[in-house]
Amino acid sequence: GANSPVVLGTLKGQGVAVSGKVSLQGRTDHSGAAVTLTGDGGTYTATTDASGAYALDGVAPGSYKLTITMPGYLSYIRTTLTVEDELSVPAKDLLGGDIEVDGQVTIRDLSVLLGEYGQSVSAGPDINGDGQVTILDLSILLSNYNQVNITE
């Protein structure tokens, strides 16, 4: 259906399923985060649905790098993920405020947000996705000030 994860990639043999869940800070709709698995068996990509769920099917066994990204949010990077059998990745929370998408929440992000404060926008400083830049977006950014991408 319309909310099903989009799965792209190269299928080698049967492969296994890698699934998980992503929460986007400040949002009730957790759709749109890009989940990428890159490694021995190729590259697999999925997009989260409204509940934050994703599934990568047909993943060849091997060692991979898992990256979860969403514009306006700090990314999650797991440098080594070993896939042997069906795998459920522990849930991940992405922290909002990285408007400049440079891997950190800084004065540059705050400046962009304040420059569009009170405006109706569809992306960028509208971190919580409600269509406007408000105190809700500002509070998310400030709660993560000086944070950087999560790498494990």
Side-chain angles (χ1 to χ4, degrees):
N3 291 331
S4 297
V6 177
V7 180
L8 307 170
T10 305
L11 301 179
K12 294 187 177 180
Q14 295 291 350
V16 297
V18 175
S19 61
K21 194 164 187 171
V22 177
S23 293
L24 301 172
Q25 182 186 22
R27 291 188 180 216
T28 54
D29 178 350
H30 303 283
S31 63
V35 180
T36 307
L37 205 55
T38 308
D40 296 342
T43 299
Y44 303 86
T45 305
T47 303
T48 56
D49 66 13
S51 72
Y54 65 88
L56 300 156
D57 294 314
V59 177
S63 182
Y64 293 88
K65 175 181 177 182
L66 172 69
T67 307
I68 304 172
T69 59
M70 177 73 177
Y73 286 78
L74 292 168
S75 298
Y76 170 80
I77 301 130
R78 183 161 171 185
T79 54
T80 305
L81 181 69
T82 303
V83 176
E84 294 172 347
D85 296 309
E86 190 166 311
L87 180 63
S88 181
V89 178
K92 298 299 166 198
D93 297 321
L94 296 191
L95 302 177
D98 186 15
I99 298 165
E100 293 284 295
V101 193
D102 60 1
Q104 55 192 344
V105 179
T106 65
I107 193 73
R108 291 176 41 190
D109 301 296
L110 180 59
S111 178
V112 171
L113 187 146
L114 293 176
E116 297 194 39
Y117 194 81
Q119 304 291 317
S120 292
V121 296
S122 60
D126 177 24
I127 299 165
N128 70 351
D130 67 358
Q132 49 193 340
V133 182
T134 66
I135 191 72
L136 299 174
D137 303 298
L138 180 60
S139 67
I140 292 170
L141 187 149
L142 292 177
S143 72
N144 300 316
Y145 199 76
N146 283 333
Q147 296 291 319
V148 297
N149 284 343
I150 298 166
T151 303
E152 296 180 335

